[in-house]
Amino acid sequence: MGILGFGLVDLLLLQSNDALAHTDPDPPDDLDPHAAWKRDYEEAAGPDLRGEVPTYPAYLKVPPKIHGRAAWKAKPPRRPAKILGRAPDHIVVHHTDSPNTSDRSLAHAYDLSRSIQRFHMQGRGWDDAGQQLTISRGGHIMEGRNRSLAAILAGQHVVGAQALHHNDHTIGIENEGNYTKSKVPPPLWDALVDTCVWLCAVYRLDPTKAIVGHRDLVDTDCPGNLLYAKLPTLRRTVSTRLTTPRKPAQKPKPKPKSKPKPPSTTNPKPRS
């Protein structure tokens, strides 16, 4: 995250393998040494990611609570992000490699988003924040790169700067913290599951194939050993959520009708 004028989170992010493994923008395919890898993967992945794709119920496409860029007071990008008229084929899980703060507040989450954007724009010279989505340790989900939320809702893809040579076909989620030796806090985990369910539903992705760690694509330690070890659980949990029918809402039981009161058996007092 830069050394001059940045905070502790900025500095630690600058030093992380995760941040240094990003770039903006990607070269075109004819200059991209990984273009052949991407084609080979698409061939090996089978029909789920090419043509025959899963279909999920419409209610799963409703997004979780996401705080847009206006909420965390994002700076304007140098130029609008590029939108591709197709879905990404992978969801890349990152960690920010920043301190495992105990601050779960929304105010801290907003500060985190501003800090990441500040480093990416001032420290790295990028157009904007590199990741499409950010999740704080308190479980707050925030829009990252400009136009990301609108593109996702339209089933399209904003090209980010979060996975070297794979930005044109992957969407990235930055998870606050360092998970090399520390466990993922439950609020963050729950938000990550919700986010992946939503993305898979919108983009019609098979989570068992689509959810990957940053280290699966780039030479990096990201997203940390413990978070990476939980990716199989993440895939299974998301898959279960996507394929388990929603229980129908139970109709409220009608209130039992009150029995009429029996007529009074006492004689009324005679009038004087």
Side-chain angles (χ1 to χ4, degrees):
M1 278 295 172
I3 298 175
L4 299 177
F6 299 128
L8 177 60
V9 172
D10 304 87
L11 179 59
L12 289 173
L13 278 171
L14 174 63
Q15 295 171 338
S16 73
N17 289 336
D18 182 24
L20 297 176
H22 300 163
T23 189
D24 187 19
D26 264 352
D29 273 357
D30 58 350
L31 299 178
D32 183 357
H34 292 265
W37 178 93
K38 286 183 282 188
R39 289 192 295 270
D40 291 345
Y41 185 91
E42 289 169 355
E43 291 295 329
D48 283 339
L49 298 182
R50 298 184 303 113
E52 296 180 17
V53 293
T55 301
Y56 302 112
Y59 71 87
L60 292 171
K61 299 178 183 180
V62 177
K65 174 64 176 177
I66 297 177
H67 303 274
R69 289 167 59 87
W72 56 268
K73 297 186 168 91
K75 291 184 178 297
R78 291 194 175 95
R79 60 179 63 85
K82 181 180 180 181
I83 295 181
L84 303 179
R86 56 172 171 80
D89 57 22
H90 286 80
I91 300 167
V92 184
V93 177
H94 301 262
H95 71 171
T96 60
D97 198 10
S98 54
N100 292 328
T101 177
S102 60
D103 191 341
R104 304 291 198 265
S105 70
L106 184 58
H108 167 77
Y110 288 170
D111 185 62
L112 170 71
S113 286
R114 288 190 294 268
S115 179
I116 293 174
Q117 186 194 40
R118 184 166 60 245
F119 164 61
H120 285 177
M121 294 184 71
Q122 298 181 26
R124 303 295 289 171
W126 298 349
D127 291 340
D128 195 7
Q131 78 287 359
Q132 287 87 349
L133 296 167
T134 308
I135 303 177
S136 73
R137 283 173 60 83
H140 303 291
I141 309 167
M142 293 154 291
E143 181 181 20
R145 176 157 286 211
N146 68 95
R147 308 176 81 185
S148 291
L149 184 54
I152 296 169
L153 293 172
Q156 298 176 333
H157 175 53
V158 159
V159 178
Q162 47 82 34
L164 182 64
H165 301 306
H166 298 284
N167 288 314
D168 63 344
H169 71 107
T170 66
I171 183 169
I173 304 172
E174 284 281 7
N175 297 280
E176 182 190 14
N178 180 307
Y179 301 107
T180 300
K181 296 181 180 179
S182 299
K183 294 181 179 181
V184 181
L188 189 154
W189 176 257
D190 291 343
L192 179 58
V193 170
D194 290 344
T195 302
C196 288
V197 168
W198 171 56
L199 292 176
C200 285
V202 169
Y203 290 134
R204 300 176 66 187
L205 298 175
D206 177 352
T208 64
K209 299 175 182 178
I211 298 174
V212 298
H214 191 193
R215 67 175 65 177
D216 291 320
L217 303 178
V218 175
D219 183 14
T220 175
D221 294 333
C222 180
N225 292 339
L226 294 192
L227 178 51
Y228 186 77
K230 286 180 70 69
L231 293 187
T233 302
L234 179 63
R235 296 181 188 107
R236 289 192 300 269
T237 303
V238 172
S239 181
T240 298
R241 286 267 301 271
L242 289 167
T243 56
T244 301
R246 182 169 61 171
K247 293 181 180 179
Q250 293 183 349
K251 295 182 179 180
K253 294 181 179 180
K255 293 182 178 179
K257 294 181 179 180
S258 58
K259 296 180 180 180
K261 293 182 178 180
S264 175
T265 57
T266 59
N267 296 324
K269 293 182 180 180
R271 293 181 181 180
S272 57

